[in-house]
Amino acid sequence: MDTENVDPSAAQAPAEPVASAPRSSYDPARPRAPRHDVPPPRQFVTSHEAVIGGETINFTVTAGETYLYTDHGDPIGAVFSYAYVKDGAPAGQRPVVFITGGGPGAASNVLQIGVLGPWAVPTSRLEIVDGRQPSPTPPYDFEDNPDSLLDTADLVFIDTVGTGHSRVVGTGTGADFWGVDEDADMTAQFIHTWITKNGRWNSPKFFLGESYGGTRAALVTTALMGSPWYQGYSRAIALNGVICLVNGLGLPLGNEGVGPAALTATRLPAFAATAWHHQVIDRRGRSLEEYFEEAYRFACGEYLDALVKEAGGALPASERADVVKKAAEFTAVPVTALEGTLGIDEFTFARTVLAGQGRAVGVYDSRYTSPLGGAGDVILDDAALSRFFPVTAGVFNNLEKTRLGVEMDQPYTTIAWRGLLETWNFARRPQVYGDGLGKGTTADDLALAMRRNESLHLMVGSGYFDLVAGAGLARYAVEQAGMPQDRLVVRNYYGGHEPYLDSGNRHVLAEDLRQFIRKAAG
């Protein structure tokens, strides 16, 4: 899950690319850790049976640690993962999907019990029924998930260092892991290690990332291949497919991003979808899909043009008044809220759109509402996450203990802000795109990877009611990057930042993922 993956200093970012400070694990002066100071990695192996898609599947779950190493061979990090592997399947033929959460600093548990794994949180615990919103309080039971992807591929859920049970060990430090390039490189090292240990070099390989994990997916693709100027070596691992769910493609990342005008413009379609859902605009018989499309065309056309002119001081007063009026009509916010800068951010919109009813909408799923007020906490005062987090965390901890037999000394960390996010290195090594150094987005990274690997497929999925990593921004970034259309799938779902937590969406998304994997695996 995202915790607003925008560099706090993005507004002051220099115009030209800035390389991150050297953080290579190859350092002759680095202290060496005696191997006996690091305990052996822990493993918990259990066997299970599930009925998925009408098929009875026997599978093994290996939950445990994999060590990451410096170039000297010293362990510096322990990545805890959960590998769901079908029994008896030819290892060289069965696809494997590597999965991470977002953040930065979010674990993979919500995806594991939200849509992909064989057990899931009951959707009835999180859905709005007859206007009644769900409760975050116990009990936290789980149920069989007939929509799990385990019938199609083996699933490896990765908790990056600092999340879940994953941790720094030996002479490692947070700086080895907590940065854009560092994170991608260490995730690639885990995948390289896992496929080698498990004899999966011949398996079709996929990477699925949610939220910041979608950003990570764009970078891991390159990190797995490697290059002399980027990682300094090559792992030579080519992916069949990349899946970016509710992703941050196009969001500011260091000195990159779609730019402030496009960022403002592409928020508008999600605002419009929210107004449509709460019926504070005149639908005039238009479906959500139709209204969203109309809003997107306005946002990325007339509205974006006006924002660019405004930034350059060249927007005529009559044109300004007209575009403000249209934006207000699409989003149901007062004209006065837009007159100052022509646009508003997601948090201001969340407090404004239903202010007349004394309610605020959630920025992570704007269908959910809460009373106006609070302290402005991004989690505790969000109408959606304050309900989702306790339920998904409770269900996963229950599952981990009772089904997977995991016994670790420290409790599971769903999201880590302290230490991790506050020290995250958003600066990237200079990137080469078609027109020279830098100034691209992570969508450009994916487009470049697809040009280099003409068998690489991409799926981008978004929720209509996600105000943080909106469907409009994802679509715009993909369109601007110029992805090969025959290997691209773009889907929007009737949900928010975790669209699969709805019963209907879970099935639809799972089927879309299943078809994508089967096609890309050949």
Side-chain angles (χ1 to χ4, degrees):
M1 269 183 221
D2 228 324
T3 57
E4 185 69 358
N5 61 331
V6 180
D7 179 2
S9 63
Q12 289 78 42
E16 293 303 318
V18 176
S20 57
R23 290 183 173 181
S24 171
S25 68
Y26 186 75
D27 181 359
R30 186 181 184 125
R32 304 294 296 275
R35 288 298 184 97
H36 65 263
D37 286 353
V38 180
R42 302 186 67 179
Q43 300 283 319
F44 306 89
V45 182
T46 52
S47 297
H48 307 273
E49 180 182 285
V51 177
I52 300 170
E55 175 188 359
T56 298
I57 295 176
N58 295 301
F59 61 97
T60 298
V61 182
T62 302
E65 296 173 307
T66 298
Y67 280 166
L68 303 179
Y69 296 89
T70 67
D71 292 340
H72 293 302
D74 294 328
I76 54 174
V79 170
F80 203 96
S81 64
Y82 304 80
Y84 291 73
V85 177
K86 183 179 180 181
D87 295 340
Q93 300 174 14
R94 186 163 164 80
V96 57
V97 185
F98 297 95
I99 303 147
T100 71
S108 65
N109 60 309
V110 181
L111 283 163
Q112 193 170 160
I113 50 90
V115 60
L116 301 176
W119 303 287
V121 56
T123 53
S124 59
R125 281 304 315 269
L126 298 171
E127 290 180 319
I128 301 172
V129 180
D130 297 328
R132 185 166 51 99
Q133 301 194 89
S135 167
T137 56
Y140 302 127
D141 299 320
F142 53 85
E143 63 185 11
D144 292 344
N145 179 18
D147 293 317
S148 169
L149 293 190
L150 195 53
D151 65 327
T152 301
D154 294 333
L155 310 170
V156 183
F157 297 88
I158 306 167
D159 288 338
T160 54
V161 171
T163 73
H165 298 301
S166 301
R167 67 195 194 284
V168 175
V169 299
T171 59
T173 68
D176 291 315
F177 308 97
W178 299 337
V180 176
D181 291 319
E182 294 82 0
D183 172 82
D185 194 48
M186 288 300 176
T187 302
Q189 185 184 142
F190 169 86
I191 294 171
H192 191 182
T193 302
W194 193 92
I195 64 174
T196 301
K197 283 186 175 180
N198 291 276
R200 301 301 293 267
W201 277 88
N202 277 342
S203 291
K205 300 171 188 68
F206 296 80
F207 189 91
L208 186 155
E210 179 182 62
S211 195
Y212 181 82
T215 298
R216 178 183 293 123
L219 310 179
V220 163
T221 306
T222 298
L224 284 170
M225 279 297 293
S227 73
W229 58 269
Y230 188 56
Q231 284 81 26
Y233 50 87
S234 177
R235 295 185 175 92
I237 299 171
L239 294 176
N240 294 70
V242 170
I243 302 161
C244 300
L245 289 183
V246 290
N247 57 85
L249 298 179
L251 280 171
L253 192 66
N255 61 303
E256 299 178 342
V258 296
L263 191 60
T264 297
T266 54
R267 288 189 183 113
L268 185 136
F271 295 169
T274 303
W276 182 95
H277 174 79
H278 291 287
Q279 301 188 53
V280 290
I281 52 92
D282 183 0
R283 292 182 178 178
R284 300 204 305 272
R286 291 167 292 183
S287 67
L288 172 62
E289 293 78 9
E290 290 170 338
Y291 193 64
F292 180 90
E293 185 65 27
E294 189 177 331
Y296 182 82
R297 290 197 301 270
F298 165 74
C300 296
E302 183 180 348
Y303 188 41
L304 178 55
D305 289 345
L307 287 164
V308 172
K309 291 178 183 177
E310 175 81 357
L315 182 63
S318 59
E319 185 177 340
R320 191 180 202 281
D322 185 54
V323 79
V324 165
K325 180 175 179 290
K326 289 180 180 177
E329 289 173 349
F330 269 113
T331 60
V333 301
V335 167
T336 53
L338 298 169
E339 284 177 329
T341 61
L342 297 190
I344 56 177
D345 62 37
E346 63 270 32
F347 298 100
T348 303
F349 173 81
R351 296 189 301 268
T352 303
V353 65
L354 299 183
Q357 304 173 24
R359 308 289 290 182
V361 302
V363 297
Y364 288 90
D365 192 326
S366 59
R367 295 172 301 168
Y368 294 80
T369 69
S370 60
L372 280 173
D377 188 284
V378 68
I379 301 298
L380 297 177
D381 291 314
D382 185 77
L385 291 194
S386 60
R387 290 180 170 89
F388 291 173
F389 267 12
V391 176
T392 54
V395 168
F396 180 78
N397 278 276
N398 185 13
L399 171 69
E400 186 185 54
K401 177 79 170 180
T402 61
R403 286 291 172 92
L404 305 184
V406 174
E407 296 282 354
M408 295 295 286
D409 297 333
Q410 293 182 311
Y412 191 89
T413 301
T414 299
I415 292 187
W417 289 285
R418 187 173 64 195
L420 190 156
L421 187 57
E422 63 191 7
T423 62
W424 192 267
N425 179 22
F426 280 94
R428 297 183 61 188
R429 302 182 185 104
Q431 303 300 298
V432 176
Y433 300 107
D435 59 351
L437 286 176
K439 300 180 182 177
T441 71
T442 47
D444 291 304
D445 286 272
L446 280 170
L448 183 58
M450 294 176 79
R451 284 193 288 273
R452 290 167 171 167
N453 175 1
E454 295 184 281
S455 297
L456 177 64
H457 291 246
L458 171 65
M459 176 176 172
V460 177
S462 304
Y464 280 114
F465 307 109
D466 182 2
L467 307 185
V468 177
L473 175 61
R475 174 174 164 182
Y476 179 81
V478 166
E479 289 174 350
Q480 294 300 303
M483 309 288 188
Q485 295 297 303
D486 60 328
R487 290 180 279 135
L488 173 66
V489 176
V490 179
R491 294 282 187 271
N492 293 337
Y493 300 96
Y494 197 95
H497 205 64
E498 293 82 23
Y500 45 80
L501 295 178
D502 288 8
S503 56
N505 284 340
R506 176 184 292 171
H507 178 71
V508 173
L509 173 58
E511 283 301 307
D512 286 346
L513 291 170
R514 193 171 279 110
Q515 291 179 25
F516 174 82
I517 291 169
R518 288 172 177 165
K519 178 181 178 181

